Amino acid sequence: MSATRYTYLGPAGTFTEVALRTLPEAGTRELVPVASVPVALDAVRNGEAAGAFVAVENSVEGAVTATSDELVNGTPLMIYREVLLPITFALLVRPGTGLADIKTVTSHPVAQAQLRRWLAANLPDAQWEAASSNAEGARLVQDGRYDAALAGAFAAPLYGLEVLADDIRDAAAPTTRFILVGRPGRVSSATGADKTSMVVWLPDDHPGALLELLQEFAVRGINLMRIESRPTGEGMGSYCFLIDCEGHLSERRVSEALMGLKRICPQVRFLGSYPRADKGVSTPVRPGTSDEAFARASDWLSRCLDGRGEL
């Protein structure tokens, strides 16, 4: 395995690359662009890379399903870091192209979903075509395949293009969340502002099945930050759930919640405990759910077993 190689969705000039380069260690790693999220993650599974950096969700369209499905299926992987990147798009064209000249426009499907209203208002007659990434769309415009691409403005000089329109967005403050994924290993130490991720399969389809799962978190005062359902492929109505919660596996409330899930669910895939990107935002630990509260309760139980009770 290359201990210094990170793969990411390429080619050069993607938002993924920009987010990856915000990691402190990025300057000492070999950053390798690849054609898709599955290829990036398979490089980690195959030992060709130490880590893969991929988008997992955005604040407008929601989950990046290619990443979700890769985390659910195949050889287990683990999340070690996350990055939040504000996203705004630019309309990139070959020099001399005007808005009226644009008959075709390309971008990654996730980008197109975030810009539907802008496209309808500004390019209502242009045909949109999917690209494997926004930077790949810019490269295809450079090659003459399409008239315009929706990508980051920083990609324009890389592909000899001009920015015809900038700061394009449908929402006020679009943000994409990226994760650094590697092979399973030792969990990093808690920072006090952490997140834990997992995949949980329901035992069967019965009334209250999802409620039973959620109660494992609720009774321990754990705030869920994200819950996403994905079909298992085993028939209609069969789903698993990707869950992000506040806290670290080393905290009693989190570890006991995962043990509770493992008792009632046929499969639980631990995806990692790692520092939150928004470290300044945290929900206080509710009374009775701190490690100290669990220790006091455990000590009381031991005294009861020894016949010392409330002494």
Side-chain angles (χ1 to χ4, degrees):
M1 176 188 294
S2 173
T4 61
R5 181 178 298 155
Y6 285 173
T7 53
Y8 69 93
L9 179 63
T14 59
F15 287 107
T16 306
E17 181 188 10
V18 171
L20 172 56
R21 291 188 182 279
T22 67
L23 294 180
E25 67 268 30
T28 61
R29 300 295 190 270
E30 178 189 2
L31 308 183
V32 181
V34 297
S36 68
V37 167
V39 171
L41 296 175
D42 281 344
V44 176
R45 290 186 169 111
N46 298 336
E48 299 168 6
F53 195 77
V54 294
V56 67
E57 64 173 321
N58 69 75
S59 61
V60 178
E61 188 65 10
V64 178
T65 56
T67 300
S68 298
D69 291 343
E70 284 293 318
L71 293 175
V72 168
N73 300 303
T75 306
L77 296 167
M78 205 160 108
I79 302 169
Y80 289 91
R81 299 282 292 278
E82 70 172 7
V83 171
L84 298 176
L85 183 73
I87 301 289
T88 58
F89 293 90
L91 187 68
L92 308 186
V93 298
R94 292 183 297 277
T97 303
L99 203 63
D101 301 320
I102 298 174
K103 307 302 179 188
T104 56
V105 60
T106 186
S107 69
H108 190 279
V110 172
Q112 188 266 350
Q114 297 181 64
L115 302 172
R116 291 189 185 100
R117 294 198 300 272
W118 189 91
L119 285 167
N122 295 274
L123 293 170
D125 299 321
Q127 181 179 349
W128 176 84
E129 298 285 349
S132 59
S133 73
N134 299 314
E136 175 63 11
R139 190 190 68 79
L140 293 172
V141 171
Q142 180 188 45
D143 290 347
R145 291 274 301 276
Y146 302 106
D147 299 324
L150 291 163
F154 46 80
L158 296 175
Y159 298 99
L161 303 177
E162 293 181 347
V163 175
L164 189 59
D166 201 358
D167 196 24
I168 300 172
R169 49 188 167 179
D170 282 354
T175 302
T176 296
R177 176 181 168 225
F178 298 86
I179 52 176
L180 178 64
V181 178
R183 287 185 168 186
R186 181 177 294 276
V187 176
S188 60
S189 300
T191 67
D194 302 287
K195 183 181 293 184
T196 295
S197 299
M198 68 211 75
V199 186
V200 181
W201 282 258
L202 289 179
D204 52 60
D205 185 15
H206 65 269
L210 180 57
L211 176 60
E212 292 171 3
L213 183 158
L214 297 178
Q215 282 177 331
E216 296 294 334
F217 298 98
V219 298
R220 296 174 177 89
I222 299 173
N223 184 43
L224 295 187
M225 307 179 72
R226 174 174 175 249
I227 180 166
E228 174 198 351
S229 64
R230 295 298 299 157
T232 63
E234 297 176 357
M236 294 297 295
S238 179
Y239 288 88
C240 62
F241 296 87
L242 290 95
I243 297 173
D244 296 335
C245 72
E246 286 190 329
H248 192 276
L249 185 65
S250 62
E251 297 177 51
R252 287 282 294 272
R253 62 191 180 118
V254 177
S255 61
E256 291 204 6
L258 264 67
M259 285 192 291
L261 292 172
K262 189 63 178 175
R263 288 198 308 270
I264 65 174
C265 298
Q267 187 178 354
V268 178
R269 175 173 285 192
F270 173 66
L271 294 178
S273 288
Y274 46 93
R276 289 177 55 173
D278 55 343
K279 293 182 180 180
V281 180
S282 183
T283 301
V285 176
R286 294 180 60 192
T289 65
S290 66
D291 280 3
E292 293 77 9
F294 276 99
R296 288 194 300 270
S298 179
D299 179 65
W300 172 80
L301 184 60
S302 295
R303 286 188 277 109
C304 288
L305 289 170
D306 290 342
R308 293 178 292 138
E310 298 293 342
L311 297 177

